[in-house]
Amino acid sequence: MTTTSRNRFDPHESLAKLRHEFGEHGGVNMSIEASTTFTVLEAGSLPRLFRGEIGPESGSPDVGGCYLYGRHFNPTVYVLGRELAALEGTAAGYCTASGMGAVSAVLMQCCEPSDHVVASDALYGGTYALLHDFLPKKANVATSFVDVADLAAIEAAFTPRTKLLYVESISNPTLVVADIPKLADIAHRHGAKLVVDNTFSPLVLSPAQLGADVVIHSLTKFINGASDIIAGAICADHNLIAQMMDLHTGALMLLGPTMDPRVAFEISLRLPHLAVRMAEHGRRALAFSERLAARGFKVTYPGLPSHPQHDLLRELANPGYGYGGIFSLDMETADRANLLLERLQNERGFGYIAVSLGYFDTLMSVSASSTSSELSPEDMDRAGISPGLVRFSIGISGSLEQRWSQMESAIDGMTN
Ligand code: PLP
């Protein structure tokens, strides 16, 4: 599928088309609905709400307009869910207290005991631990981990019990780009759903437009952009969201990873400038990758023509938002990686030695000893995570040239 053969979808435009929510007094921003419980005018409405006959997600969205309880649907959180659905071009969306809340709820909702998941072998460490260690023991759900770029191996890993194919759009931290249309074909041929964690590439990639059934976000990262909120989201069809919110059987309702309405309000205010931020993160990540590669460093960035899936990403990406704000630098040993990070943070003020990503300042971490430390040494090796792999989430503060001069002086004498 080429960009021209697909219907052109622009996530930023899709978000802007959404009806604006006004505040209670006509404020240009929506009001925060802080109530945890909601009244009905007719007592008979309560049993109907419990049976799912009325309520925000019963049938078409907004029909009923009746709310019950904050862990079920809260109007402010519901607005953010609809905004994220617009961003991803899905029929529905809902928000969770964390990215892991979204990941675990989707897995629990879609899998029964003895079911099977095929997953990329390059995943965020928390997701890997959930699939590799937690779910087999607690729910008897097994996972086969496969190189996401090896489509034949992915297909071969399916069993009659496979319910989900789980991948990251651009993997953490190895930056492998998933061929979402082909993965969707494979999953659908086997009667499974394709779930894509799009945390690394909001706006850059629109997985649901490329065939994914479920899109997950850790909103904690680029979407919120300020490293001050932990949050997550699930974008899917009405059916799955309604199932997850079912009062008797829904994973979101029953496991309770509920987003606070004050958090939903804050994040909603940051969505309109996500496009500007992503384009700038991408512009700077590309410039840094090009300049570091030109100096002989081992850089991985999907925006570089040398990246194995560069052409694929060019084909799948929405134009105008770049190739993401994350690149990695392989310093080969942990000592060299740590030395570089300490120079960058403590001597040059280039950024912070910290996990997480998508912040407006640069965050840098050694993946093997931090966010990927859940992986066994063999799995780390298989996924291509060397002990000296440094993940950079490039910030947008200061100017590009100011930041480059800080980097340049820190790498002085460190060429590999
Ligand atoms: N998915 C990816 C790709 C991540 O990088 C992370 C966190 O680093 C998560 C999910 C989990 O998100 P949260 O920390 O918001 O629970």
Side-chain angles (χ1 to χ4, degrees), residues 98-100 124 127 168 172 197 199-200 218 220-221 230-231 357:
S98 68
M100 285 313 293
Y124 163 60
T127 309
E168 292 173 359
N172 183 0
D197 179 333
T199 298
F200 269 41
S218 166
T220 314
K221 311 294 174 358
I230 299 277
L357 52 112

Side-chain angles (χ1 to χ4, degrees), residues 391-405:
R391 186 185 73 187
F392 286 85
S393 170
I394 282 295
I396 54 177
S397 64
S399 72
L400 172 53
E401 295 313 324
Q402 170 198 18
R403 295 304 187 190
W404 174 249
S405 75

Side-chain angles (χ1 to χ4, degrees), residues 67-202:
Y67 291 90
L68 173 66
Y69 182 62
R71 175 158 45 77
H72 186 228
F73 282 102
N74 167 284
T76 314
V77 180
Y78 191 49
V79 168
L80 181 64
R82 291 206 311 272
E83 288 176 343
L84 291 164
L87 204 72
E88 290 294 355
T90 58
Y94 209 70
C95 301
T96 53
S98 68
M100 285 313 293
V103 173
S104 54
V106 167
L107 291 166
M108 292 301 281
Q109 192 69 41
C110 297
C111 297
E112 307 283 330
S114 304
D115 278 347
H116 175 250
V117 176
V118 176
S120 161
D121 62 7
L123 291 174
Y124 163 60
T127 309
Y128 171 86
L130 181 68
L131 288 165
H132 188 265
D133 303 316
F134 189 93
L135 286 175
K137 284 200 197 101
K138 306 283 182 187
N140 193 25
V141 172
T143 297
S144 302
F145 295 93
V146 188
D147 176 358
V148 73
D150 185 345
L151 297 177
I154 293 264
E155 178 121 40
F158 274 74
T159 75
R161 302 276 334 192
T162 306
K163 291 287 166 9
L164 298 178
L165 172 54
Y166 190 103
V167 304
E168 292 173 359
S169 50
I170 301 181
S171 69
N172 183 0
T174 48
L175 306 174
V176 178
V177 180
D179 191 338
I180 298 169
K182 294 209 173 108
L183 293 168
D185 279 351
I186 295 173
H188 297 158
R189 258 206 312 280
H190 291 268
K193 281 185 167 56
L194 174 64
V195 182
V196 178
D197 179 333
N198 199 24
T199 298
F200 269 41
S201 45

Side-chain angles (χ1 to χ4, degrees), residues 91 368 378 398:
E378 305 76 58

